[in-house]
């Protein structure tokens, strides 16, 4: 019985992931945009429980191939590579503020598993592990 439920769950995740990951026809750059996390796969704690106040953000800077943002607790920065539609995040440097709840470790743990970015038809950034969306970000407007 448990195996049948597990197989069904995997099928549902793959089907939903494939339908969600369709690329947008509009040209939306992944770079130099502040993206706010709105979904994180693979956690036992509900998203709102992981990030009750501040949602993590991500900015991918094309010049210098660096990334950074706020993990909901600490600010962070690092470098990444993006070649042939394969994305890999390097080591992260972050501030050392004490964080409760496991949201930060879940965020950084998932970044290590990402293999490619996709912009969906709603203009959201999906960070994929192979063909499965593991993280979903919405574009947020920054104040100038």
């Amino acid at each position: 019985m448990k195996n049948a439920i597990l197989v069904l769950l995997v099928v549902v995740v793959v089907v939903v992931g494939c339908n969600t990951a369709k690329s947008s026809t509009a040209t939306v750059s992944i770079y130099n945009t502040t993206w706010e996390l709105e979904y994180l796969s693979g956690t036992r704690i509900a998203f709102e429980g992981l990030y009750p106040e501040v949602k993590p953000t991500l900015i991918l800077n094309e010049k210098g191939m660096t990334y950074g943002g706020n993990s909901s607790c600490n600010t962070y920065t690092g470098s990444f590579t993006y070649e042939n539609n394969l994305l890999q995040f390097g080591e992260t440097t972050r501030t050392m503020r004490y964080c409760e709840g496991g949201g930060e470790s879940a965020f950084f743990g998932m970044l290590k598993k990402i293999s490619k970015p996709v912009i969906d038809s709603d203009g959201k950034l999906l960070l994929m592990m192979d063909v499965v969306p593991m993280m979903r970000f919405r574009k947020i407007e920054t104040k100038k």
Side-chain angles (χ1 to χ4, degrees):
M1 182 68 179
K2 287 184 181 180
N3 287 341
I5 293 172
L6 182 60
V7 169
L8 180 62
L9 180 62
V10 169
V11 169
V12 168
V13 167
V14 169
V15 168
V16 169
C18 290
N19 287 336
T20 305
K22 293 179 182 173
S23 295
S24 171
T25 55
T27 303
V28 176
S29 175
I30 65 172
Y31 297 116
N32 307 318
T33 298
T34 302
W35 299 99
E36 182 180 69
L37 186 68
E38 64 178 23
Y39 170 78
L40 178 67
S41 179
T43 61
R44 292 183 178 186
I45 302 171
F47 183 81
E48 292 301 323
L50 286 173
Y51 311 108
E53 296 176 25
V54 178
K55 310 297 184 257
T57 59
L58 174 68
I59 302 169
L60 299 166
N61 297 303
E62 187 173 19
K63 183 179 180 182
M65 301 301 280
T66 60
Y67 69 99
N70 188 303
S71 67
S72 81
C73 180
N74 286 294
T75 57
Y76 66 92
T77 188
S79 61
F80 69 95
T81 59
Y82 183 46
E83 296 177 10
N84 300 320
N85 203 32
L86 294 176
L87 177 66
Q88 184 173 13
F89 291 97
E91 291 299 314
T92 304
T93 303
R94 54 187 125 160
T95 56
M96 300 295 291
R97 198 170 133 201
Y98 173 73
C99 309
E100 292 184 9
E104 183 174 71
S105 62
F107 179 76
F108 289 120
M110 192 57 69
L111 277 182
K112 292 178 183 177
K113 297 177 182 179
I114 298 305
S115 60
K116 69 178 179 177
V118 172
I119 300 293
D120 73 5
S121 59
D122 294 326
K124 295 187 179 188
L125 172 64
L126 305 177
L127 295 183
M128 314 288 283
M129 183 170 66
D130 298 320
V131 297
V132 180
M134 303 305 286
M135 304 173 90
R136 183 179 64 231
F137 293 82
R138 69 179 184 87
K139 184 178 181 177
I140 61 173
E141 300 299 322
T142 55
K143 297 176 183 173
K144 293 185 180 182

